[in-house]
Amino acid sequence: MTFASLGLAPEVLKAVVEQGYETPTAIQAEAIPVILEGKDVLGAAQTGTGKTAAFTLPILTRIIRHANHSASPARHPIRALILTPTRELADQVYANVATYSKGSGLRSHVVYGGVDIKAQIPALREGIEVLVATPGRLLDHIQQKSINLSQVEILVLDEADRMLDMGFILDIQNIFNLCTNRKQTLLFSATFAPEILKLSKQFMHEPVKIEVARKNSANESVKQELHPVETARKRALLAHLIRVHQMTQVIVFCRTKIGTDQVARDLKRAGFSCEAIHGDRDQRSRTEALTKFKAGEIQVLVATDVAARGLDVTDLPFVVNYELPTTPEDYVHRIGRTGRAGATGVAISLVAPEEGKSYEGIKKLLNREMPLIPVHGFSPGTIQVIDERERPPRAERRHHTDPTTDKGVKEYKQLERMPSRAQREASEVPAFPSNLPKLPKRPPQIAALFQPPQRNKS
Ligand code: AMP
C-alpha cells in the first residue's frame, strides 16, 4: 500500500513525501481510510507506530476540502481539537500538525498550562483551524472566552487512558459537551480499559475499532533486561551501566519527583551531562531540557512518568527504569520511548527487593517470563565494590560505630577493607552482557534472588 492510494489531499501527501515516509504504517493503513469517511474511531496502537500521522493526515485532508480562504479570523474557527494528557505530548503533536499542514494554508496552534495564559491569546485571536491542547488550560481559555468550541467538527483524544489516569474525566466530559457541532470523534488509547469503553459508549457513534497491537503488549523491537539490585546500590549500578553500554542518550525513569532530582544530581556529580524533568519544574525548564536532550546536547534525561507517554525521541537507544512504575501499563509506555518507528532499543530495569509487587504485575500484564539477571559485582547480597563513588562519605562511616545493632555497619566495615584498585580491576567483569551468569532453566522467584548467601555452619 502507498500513501498515494489512501485518498489524502495533495498538500498533505506532499508533506508526507517531504518527511521521507515511504509506506503507511499498520495503524495508518487501517485508520486513514476510515477517518476520511467521517467515521468515529476507537484506536489502540503501540507507541511509536505512527499513530499521530494516522489521525492528523486524514483530519487535515477533511478540513482542507472545506477550507475557507478568507483572511478574517472569524472565518477560521477551531474545526479540529486534539486533546493530549501532557504538555510535552501536546508540543510534539502540534509539531506534527505544523509539519503535515505546511503547504495547506491551515492555521494551527497549541495551548497548555505552566506558561502565561495571556501570551497564548494573540495567536488564538488570529483564528485557527486545528488546536492541540491539554484539558485544564483549554478550559481556562474557555472560561476567559479566548476559545470557543462551538464550531469543532472533529475531536481527538490522544492517550485517552492516560488522561483518565490523570483525573481528567470531568474536564473531558465538559469538553465533549462544549463541542456542540461535533461530527466525528477519534479516541486513541494504549488499552481498551473498561473506563475507555464506557467513555466511547457515552460520546461516540458506532466507532470502528482499530487495534494494530495486542492489548497491553510491549513493543517487540525493544530488548528488555532486568537486573536485581538492592536500592542502595542502584545509583552505582546505573552509572556502571551507562558506562559499559556506552549509552550516548538515555531516559532514566524514577517514581517520584524528589527521586528524579536526586538521581540527576548524583549523575551530574559522577560526570554525566544530565537534566531532570517532572511536574514540579516550570514548563520553560521542562521544554528546554527536552529540547537539549532531543538535540543530543545532554546524555541523560531523568524523568517521572510525565515523559513516559508519547514522547518521540528519534532513535533513542536506551531507557532505564531506575525504579519500576507502580502501574504495570506505565512500564509499557516507558519502554516504548525506545524502539520507535521500527528501530531497535534496549530497556533496562533495576529491580529492588521491595519492588516485587510491581515486577509481578508487569510480568502478569505482559504474560511472559522476565528473568532477573544479576550484573556481576552488583548481585543482591554481595558487597563487591565496583565504583569508588559507592563508598559512603567518611563522616557517615565514622557515625556508625556499633556493628552489632546497625545492619549497614557490617557493610561499611567491609568497605573499609576494600581491596586495592588493581585487585578490584582484576576481579571486575565490565563487559556487559557477554559475561552474565548462565540463566537458570526456571527463573527463580524474585524473593529467592534477594536471599543473602547461605553461610556454612560447620
Ligand atoms: P508516533 O507513534 O506518532 O509518535 O510516531 C513515531 C515516529 O514515526 C515519528 O517520529 C514519526 O515521524 C514516524 N513516522 C510516522 N509515520 C511514519 C511512516 N509511515 N514511515 C516512517 N516513519 C513514520
mmCIF file of all heavy atoms in Angstrom, residues 78-100:
data_model
loop_
_atom_site.group_PDB
_atom_site.id
_atom_site.type_symbol
_atom_site.label_atom_id
_atom_site.label_comp_id
_atom_site.label_asym_id
_atom_site.label_seq_id
_atom_site.Cartn_x
_atom_site.Cartn_y
_atom_site.Cartn_z
ATOM 1 N N ILE A 78 -12.125 27.120 15.271
ATOM 2 C CA ILE A 78 -11.449 25.832 15.524
ATOM 3 C C ILE A 78 -12.341 24.720 14.983
ATOM 4 O O ILE A 78 -13.488 24.555 15.410
ATOM 5 C CB ILE A 78 -11.215 25.624 17.034
ATOM 6 C CG1 ILE A 78 -10.363 26.764 17.581
ATOM 7 C CG2 ILE A 78 -10.542 24.277 17.300
ATOM 8 C CD1 ILE A 78 -10.316 26.821 19.093
ATOM 9 N N ARG A 79 -11.796 23.938 14.045
ATOM 10 C CA ARG A 79 -12.593 22.863 13.444
ATOM 11 C C ARG A 79 -12.135 21.493 13.904
ATOM 12 O O ARG A 79 -12.895 20.531 13.858
ATOM 13 C CB ARG A 79 -12.531 22.993 11.924
ATOM 14 C CG ARG A 79 -13.155 24.330 11.492
ATOM 15 C CD ARG A 79 -13.099 24.530 10.014
ATOM 16 N NE ARG A 79 -13.711 23.423 9.321
ATOM 17 C CZ ARG A 79 -13.495 23.161 8.031
ATOM 18 N NH1 ARG A 79 -12.686 23.926 7.340
ATOM 19 N NH2 ARG A 79 -14.083 22.146 7.457
ATOM 20 N N ALA A 80 -10.869 21.406 14.305
ATOM 21 C CA ALA A 80 -10.393 20.127 14.869
ATOM 22 C C ALA A 80 -9.680 20.423 16.175
ATOM 23 O O ALA A 80 -8.856 21.336 16.257
ATOM 24 C CB ALA A 80 -9.446 19.449 13.890
ATOM 25 N N LEU A 81 -10.034 19.648 17.193
ATOM 26 C CA LEU A 81 -9.425 19.829 18.512
ATOM 27 C C LEU A 81 -8.755 18.521 18.912
ATOM 28 O O LEU A 81 -9.396 17.455 18.886
ATOM 29 C CB LEU A 81 -10.518 20.204 19.528
ATOM 30 C CG LEU A 81 -10.109 20.223 20.998
ATOM 31 C CD1 LEU A 81 -9.065 21.316 21.260
ATOM 32 C CD2 LEU A 81 -11.334 20.452 21.891
ATOM 33 N N ILE A 82 -7.477 18.601 19.263
ATOM 34 C CA ILE A 82 -6.746 17.385 19.677
ATOM 35 C C ILE A 82 -6.348 17.553 21.143
ATOM 36 O O ILE A 82 -5.620 18.490 21.486
ATOM 37 C CB ILE A 82 -5.485 17.171 18.805
ATOM 38 C CG1 ILE A 82 -5.878 17.112 17.319
ATOM 39 C CG2 ILE A 82 -4.747 15.903 19.227
ATOM 40 C CD1 ILE A 82 -4.695 17.153 16.347
ATOM 41 N N LEU A 83 -6.837 16.669 21.985
ATOM 42 C CA LEU A 83 -6.513 16.746 23.414
ATOM 43 C C LEU A 83 -5.423 15.741 23.757
ATOM 44 O O LEU A 83 -5.479 14.586 23.323
ATOM 45 C CB LEU A 83 -7.744 16.403 24.252
ATOM 46 C CG LEU A 83 -8.917 17.369 24.227
ATOM 47 C CD1 LEU A 83 -10.041 16.823 25.106
ATOM 48 C CD2 LEU A 83 -8.482 18.747 24.720
ATOM 49 N N THR A 84 -4.444 16.185 24.543
ATOM 50 C CA THR A 84 -3.387 15.257 24.985
ATOM 51 C C THR A 84 -3.230 15.392 26.500
ATOM 52 O O THR A 84 -3.540 16.440 27.061
ATOM 53 C CB THR A 84 -2.020 15.590 24.333
ATOM 54 O OG1 THR A 84 -1.536 16.805 24.918
ATOM 55 C CG2 THR A 84 -2.109 15.758 22.836
ATOM 56 N N PRO A 85 -2.723 14.352 27.168
ATOM 57 C CA PRO A 85 -2.619 14.441 28.625
ATOM 58 C C PRO A 85 -1.500 15.357 29.116
ATOM 59 O O PRO A 85 -1.650 16.015 30.131
ATOM 60 C CB PRO A 85 -2.350 12.989 29.058
ATOM 61 C CG PRO A 85 -1.821 12.300 27.847
ATOM 62 C CD PRO A 85 -2.370 13.015 26.658
ATOM 63 N N THR A 86 -0.370 15.392 28.426
ATOM 64 C CA THR A 86 0.762 16.170 28.955
ATOM 65 C C THR A 86 1.167 17.293 28.006
ATOM 66 O O THR A 86 0.879 17.251 26.814
ATOM 67 C CB THR A 86 2.009 15.268 29.180
ATOM 68 O OG1 THR A 86 2.448 14.784 27.913
ATOM 69 C CG2 THR A 86 1.713 14.108 30.098
ATOM 70 N N ARG A 87 1.872 18.250 28.582
ATOM 71 C CA ARG A 87 2.326 19.406 27.792
ATOM 72 C C ARG A 87 3.336 18.962 26.740
ATOM 73 O O ARG A 87 3.314 19.440 25.605
ATOM 74 C CB ARG A 87 2.993 20.417 28.724
ATOM 75 C CG ARG A 87 2.043 20.896 29.791
ATOM 76 C CD ARG A 87 2.831 21.481 30.944
ATOM 77 N NE ARG A 87 1.956 21.784 32.061
ATOM 78 C CZ ARG A 87 2.402 22.277 33.206
ATOM 79 N NH1 ARG A 87 3.673 22.528 33.387
ATOM 80 N NH2 ARG A 87 1.552 22.520 34.182
ATOM 81 N N GLU A 88 4.221 18.049 27.140
ATOM 82 C CA GLU A 88 5.244 17.596 26.195
ATOM 83 C C GLU A 88 4.608 16.927 24.986
ATOM 84 O O GLU A 88 5.005 17.138 23.853
ATOM 85 C CB GLU A 88 6.207 16.605 26.874
ATOM 86 C CG GLU A 88 7.280 17.270 27.724
ATOM 87 C CD GLU A 88 6.759 17.756 29.077
ATOM 88 O OE1 GLU A 88 5.604 17.422 29.434
ATOM 89 O OE2 GLU A 88 7.492 18.480 29.769
ATOM 90 N N LEU A 89 3.585 16.113 25.261
ATOM 91 C CA LEU A 89 2.928 15.423 24.144
ATOM 92 C C LEU A 89 2.178 16.435 23.278
ATOM 93 O O LEU A 89 2.170 16.323 22.047
ATOM 94 C CB LEU A 89 1.982 14.339 24.677
ATOM 95 C CG LEU A 89 1.365 13.427 23.623
ATOM 96 C CD1 LEU A 89 2.422 12.745 22.772
ATOM 97 C CD2 LEU A 89 0.468 12.373 24.257
ATOM 98 N N ALA A 90 1.571 17.438 23.918
ATOM 99 C CA ALA A 90 0.860 18.474 23.160
ATOM 100 C C ALA A 90 1.839 19.163 22.199
ATOM 101 O O ALA A 90 1.541 19.328 21.014
ATOM 102 C CB ALA A 90 0.252 19.498 24.113
ATOM 103 N N ASP A 91 3.013 19.506 22.705
ATOM 104 C CA ASP A 91 4.023 20.154 21.863
ATOM 105 C C ASP A 91 4.411 19.269 20.685
ATOM 106 O O ASP A 91 4.558 19.729 19.562
ATOM 107 C CB ASP A 91 5.294 20.406 22.705
ATOM 108 C CG ASP A 91 5.481 21.887 22.971
ATOM 109 O OD1 ASP A 91 4.875 22.692 22.251
ATOM 110 O OD2 ASP A 91 6.234 22.222 23.899
ATOM 111 N N GLN A 92 4.562 17.993 20.992
ATOM 112 C CA GLN A 92 5.002 17.056 19.955
ATOM 113 C C GLN A 92 3.933 16.856 18.872
ATOM 114 O O GLN A 92 4.229 16.857 17.684
ATOM 115 C CB GLN A 92 5.323 15.727 20.620
ATOM 116 C CG GLN A 92 6.059 14.775 19.732
ATOM 117 C CD GLN A 92 6.485 13.568 20.521
ATOM 118 O OE1 GLN A 92 7.369 13.640 21.384
ATOM 119 N NE2 GLN A 92 5.844 12.453 20.289
ATOM 120 N N VAL A 93 2.677 16.695 19.324
ATOM 121 C CA VAL A 93 1.592 16.516 18.349
ATOM 122 C C VAL A 93 1.463 17.781 17.502
ATOM 123 O O VAL A 93 1.297 17.726 16.284
ATOM 124 C CB VAL A 93 0.260 16.181 19.067
ATOM 125 C CG1 VAL A 93 -0.914 16.218 18.102
ATOM 126 C CG2 VAL A 93 0.341 14.810 19.732
ATOM 127 N N TYR A 94 1.588 18.926 18.168
ATOM 128 C CA TYR A 94 1.495 20.197 17.439
ATOM 129 C C TYR A 94 2.598 20.290 16.373
ATOM 130 O O TYR A 94 2.347 20.719 15.242
ATOM 131 C CB TYR A 94 1.587 21.373 18.413
ATOM 132 C CG TYR A 94 1.748 22.690 17.712
ATOM 133 C CD1 TYR A 94 0.759 23.164 16.863
ATOM 134 C CD2 TYR A 94 2.906 23.450 17.869
ATOM 135 C CE1 TYR A 94 0.914 24.375 16.189
ATOM 136 C CE2 TYR A 94 3.066 24.645 17.198
ATOM 137 C CZ TYR A 94 2.063 25.095 16.363
ATOM 138 O OH TYR A 94 2.226 26.267 15.685
ATOM 139 N N ALA A 95 3.803 19.859 16.738
ATOM 140 C CA ALA A 95 4.908 19.894 15.759
ATOM 141 C C ALA A 95 4.545 19.042 14.539
ATOM 142 O O ALA A 95 4.807 19.429 13.396
ATOM 143 C CB ALA A 95 6.196 19.388 16.402
ATOM 144 N N ASN A 96 3.905 17.886 14.792
ATOM 145 C CA ASN A 96 3.467 17.020 13.680
ATOM 146 C C ASN A 96 2.421 17.729 12.826
ATOM 147 O O ASN A 96 2.497 17.740 11.602
ATOM 148 C CB ASN A 96 2.858 15.724 14.220
ATOM 149 C CG ASN A 96 3.910 14.682 14.549
ATOM 150 O OD1 ASN A 96 4.154 13.785 13.758
ATOM 151 N ND2 ASN A 96 4.551 14.810 15.690
ATOM 152 N N VAL A 97 1.424 18.340 13.492
ATOM 153 C CA VAL A 97 0.351 19.035 12.762
ATOM 154 C C VAL A 97 0.961 20.136 11.901
ATOM 155 O O VAL A 97 0.631 20.281 10.718
ATOM 156 C CB VAL A 97 -0.693 19.618 13.749
ATOM 157 C CG1 VAL A 97 -1.697 20.507 13.021
ATOM 158 C CG2 VAL A 97 -1.422 18.507 14.496
ATOM 159 N N ALA A 98 1.892 20.898 12.489
ATOM 160 C CA ALA A 98 2.509 22.005 11.746
ATOM 161 C C ALA A 98 3.273 21.473 10.527
ATOM 162 O O ALA A 98 3.193 22.044 9.444
ATOM 163 C CB ALA A 98 3.441 22.786 12.673
ATOM 164 N N THR A 99 3.984 20.365 10.718
ATOM 165 C CA THR A 99 4.749 19.791 9.601
ATOM 166 C C THR A 99 3.819 19.332 8.476
ATOM 167 O O THR A 99 4.029 19.641 7.311
ATOM 168 C CB THR A 99 5.555 18.567 10.097
ATOM 169 O OG1 THR A 99 6.359 18.989 11.175
ATOM 170 C CG2 THR A 99 6.433 17.980 9.005
ATOM 171 N N TYR A 100 2.783 18.566 8.850
ATOM 172 C CA TYR A 100 1.928 17.973 7.818
ATOM 173 C C TYR A 100 1.013 19.003 7.155
ATOM 174 O O TYR A 100 0.469 18.753 6.087
ATOM 175 C CB TYR A 100 1.071 16.833 8.391
ATOM 176 C CG TYR A 100 1.865 15.727 9.044
ATOM 177 C CD1 TYR A 100 1.451 15.158 10.254
ATOM 178 C CD2 TYR A 100 3.027 15.232 8.457
ATOM 179 C CE1 TYR A 100 2.175 14.141 10.856
ATOM 180 C CE2 TYR A 100 3.752 14.226 9.065
ATOM 181 C CZ TYR A 100 3.331 13.686 10.263
ATOM 182 O OH TYR A 100 4.050 12.692 10.858
#
